[in-house]
Amino acid sequence: MRKTKEFIFRNIFPSSLTRPRPLKAYSFVPFSPLAMLDPTILIIGGIVLGIAFIEQILERWGVIDLVDQFAKVMRFILPVTFYSALIYFFATFIF
């Protein structure tokens, strides 16, 4: 009959049972207002502001019919653009 030897785990792997020192970790990703300077959102906002600026110029020139057409289109475009930009921002922003 063969004699079996007992191995004590602590004697074989002494360093694996010691606790590691606590590591201080700092997060460098706080919420920043600069995150809203996403190029896609800025382009969409610039287009909407440009259309509103053109509408104001046309109103000063007295082209009321064209201003009414712009107003009808903007009533639909502004809310759709706002909510789609908001959804895009929260979908692509890494929290």
Side-chain angles (χ1 to χ4, degrees):
M1 185 169 211
R2 272 182 145 173
K3 187 175 183 181
T4 58
K5 285 189 171 184
E6 291 182 13
F7 291 104
I8 299 173
F9 187 76
R10 290 182 189 182
N11 292 338
I12 298 171
F13 301 106
S15 63
S16 66
L17 294 179
T18 60
R19 288 188 173 188
R21 292 183 306 180
L23 175 68
K24 290 185 179 180
Y26 298 99
S27 174
F28 293 106
V29 190
F31 179 75
S32 171
L34 296 177
M36 294 189 189
L37 293 178
D38 185 35
T40 307
I41 293 178
L42 289 177
I43 289 170
I44 292 171
I47 290 170
V48 170
L49 285 176
I51 292 172
F53 186 67
I54 290 170
E55 184 180 350
Q56 291 294 321
I57 290 174
L58 290 174
E59 186 178 358
R60 286 184 188 167
W61 288 350
V63 190
I64 302 300
D65 294 336
L66 197 54
V67 172
D68 288 338
Q69 294 297 325
F70 267 107
K72 288 178 185 175
V73 171
M74 292 300 283
R75 273 190 215 127
F76 176 74
I77 289 178
L78 281 176
V80 170
T81 306
F82 172 74
Y83 287 117
S84 61
L86 192 66
I87 290 169
Y88 173 79
F89 174 73
F90 283 117
T92 59
F93 183 70
I94 301 171
F95 288 101

